[in-house]
Amino acid sequence: MQQGLRHLNTAFGNFFKGKTKYPRFKRKNNRQSAHYAPNAFKWQDGTLTLAKMSQPLKIRWSRYFTGEPKSVTISKDPSNRYFISFLKPNRQF
């Protein structure tokens, strides 16, 4: 819920700066997603546990992820399939 409020705040900030149009309501009948900040999930030994969950998610990997994720997005498509996207922090060398 906190991340949803952050997105809404950004949308209204961009509207009042004149960058975009007024934010509009998006229905939930197609693709749904939830964005988790680093304080809302635990990444340990290749397992992902979201906030308010006691057990880690069972993941079928299409590509393996190495490193420490910066944020996680869980999305659901219209066929009720769930997908997890990890955002890695940028490494400057």
Side-chain angles (χ1 to χ4, degrees), residues 36-72:
Y36 291 89
N39 61 348
F41 67 89
K42 187 189 304 183
W43 175 256
Q44 222 173 21
D45 299 328
T47 61
L48 177 68
T49 307
L50 300 175
K52 311 267 182 174
M53 290 180 66
S54 58
Q55 304 226 347
L57 292 173
K58 294 178 183 175
I59 301 173
R60 183 175 56 178
W61 295 96
S62 63
R63 290 181 220 144
Y64 289 99
F65 180 80
T66 58
E68 191 69 26
K70 182 177 179 182
S71 67
V72 174

Side-chain angles (χ1 to χ4, degrees), residues 67-86:
E68 191 69 26
K70 182 177 179 182
S71 67
V72 174
T73 302
I74 310 286
S75 56
K76 178 180 142 187
D77 68 358
S79 340
N80 288 333
R81 295 180 299 177
Y82 289 88
F83 299 93
I84 300 173
S85 301
F86 296 100

Side-chain angles (χ1 to χ4, degrees), residues 11 21-32:
K21 295 181 181 178
Y22 187 81
R24 58 189 174 93
F25 178 75
K26 284 129 180 126
R27 298 191 181 275
K28 289 204 244 179
N29 57 357
N30 287 331
R31 190 171 182 95
Q32 300 176 28

